[in-house]
Amino acid sequence: MKITWFGHAAFLLEGSKKILIDPFLSGNPMSPVKPDEVDADLILVTHGHGDHLGDAVEISKRCKAPIVCIYELSVLLGRKGAETIGMNIGGTAKIEDVEVTMVKAVHSADVVENEIISAGDPVGFVVKMDGVSVYHAGDTDVFMDMQLIGGLYKPKVALLPIGDFYTMGIKGALKAVELIKPEIVIPMHYNTFPPIKQNPEEFKEKAEKMGVKVVILKPGESLEV
Ligand code: NI
Ligand code: MN
């Protein structure tokens, strides 16, 4: 599987399918690609905040790729014309040979337009494709149930926010590594905006003392796992 980071929480997982997660591209100062430059078979959205929902509806329509998200958000996105797969926490959607499991996250999740629209809970995802499991934590603080996610789904790779302010920072992310026990961690959700300025090298140095490999990607870079 090839994992490409587009900055912030936006990733493309490429294997037997192309799975785009949290495609915040046009408004993302770190993204090296525009929404019309990415292809996807499936789009996963962790919650309705603009920096995660991003360009999902537009890409979904162009690529005829369904958006997998929590049920309430799927209703809202369906009204915008996207094809959706609305599921809920603890469930696994089997899309041909890919398994997408929705897991808990600790954050807020309303869609903010002219008014604030309730849009279900925030989530993370574990994607199993070509025999490899990847955990995208979404926006979250560390929580003890990450131990369950690690134990149940044994993700080889964890994509974890480290930016602080809107999510856990380095201290929380180090505890998350201890709970999840992945082989590889890719830090995300940092340095996009001033409030989430963070030094990923500090996270790498501390996490690698715990025996996990940390891969710091630049936006547009990929890791083959
Ligand atoms: Ni958020
Ligand atoms: Mn966010």
Side-chain angles (χ1 to χ4, degrees):
M1 189 197 299
K2 184 177 165 190
I3 302 172
T4 304
W5 189 45
F6 296 133
H8 210 56
F11 286 87
L12 180 65
L13 310 183
E14 291 174 279
S16 59
K17 288 219 167 352
K18 287 184 180 177
I19 303 177
L20 186 61
I21 309 177
D22 283 356
F24 170 54
L25 306 175
S26 59
N28 177 357
M30 288 176 82
S31 176
V33 293
K34 295 189 175 70
D36 59 0
E37 293 170 338
V38 289
D39 280 324
D41 301 308
L42 205 59
I43 300 168
L44 315 186
V45 174
T46 59
H47 62 297
H49 291 162
D51 60 318
H52 296 261
L53 181 55
D55 306 290
V57 172
E58 179 191 328
I59 298 168
S60 165
K61 287 180 185 171
R62 180 175 53 81
C63 297
K64 307 213 176 340
I67 299 175
V68 182
C69 59
I70 202 156
Y71 170 70
E72 289 80 1
L73 181 59
S74 80
V75 173
L76 285 176
L77 301 185
R79 287 175 187 162
K80 293 178 193 290
E83 188 192 326
T84 60
I85 298 175
M87 56 185 299
N88 220 312
I89 296 166
T92 297
K94 292 189 179 69
I95 297 117
E96 293 171 37
D97 48 354
V98 174
E99 290 180 17
V100 177
T101 303
M102 182 173 278
V103 297
K104 159 179 164 176
V106 176
H107 189 63
S108 62
D110 290 352
V111 169
V112 181
E113 291 182 352
N114 292 326
E115 50 200 327
I116 294 175
I117 306 165
S118 173
D121 283 351
V123 303
F125 290 103
V126 180
V127 176
K128 190 172 180 192
M129 176 163 64
D130 306 340
V132 179
S133 289
V134 176
Y135 170 40
H136 186 298
D139 274 0
T140 189
D141 188 15
V142 62
F143 50 95
M144 279 305 290
D145 293 359
M146 283 179 169
Q147 200 166 30
L148 283 175
I149 294 167
L152 282 169
Y153 308 111
K154 306 204 165 26
K156 179 178 176 117
V157 184
L159 315 175
L160 301 179
I162 64 160
D164 214 327
F165 197 75
Y166 301 115
T167 66
M168 60 191 177
I170 288 176
K171 189 176 181 183
L174 290 168
K175 179 52 84 173
V177 168
E178 188 186 315
L179 295 170
I180 302 159
K181 300 192 191 331
E183 280 176 40
I184 301 166
V185 176
I186 301 174
M188 64 166 176
H189 211 275
Y190 66 93
N191 289 356
T192 326
F193 311 112
I196 57 172
K197 193 167 161 40
Q198 197 59 269
N199 179 6
E201 296 293 345
E202 181 192 336
F203 172 71
K204 179 180 168 82
E205 192 189 316
K206 289 178 175 166
E208 291 198 332
K209 284 192 185 130
M210 298 160 60
V212 70
K213 184 179 172 192
V214 174
V215 177
I216 298 170
L217 295 176
K218 291 194 182 76
E221 280 186 348
S222 304
L223 174 72
E224 198 79 49
V225 293

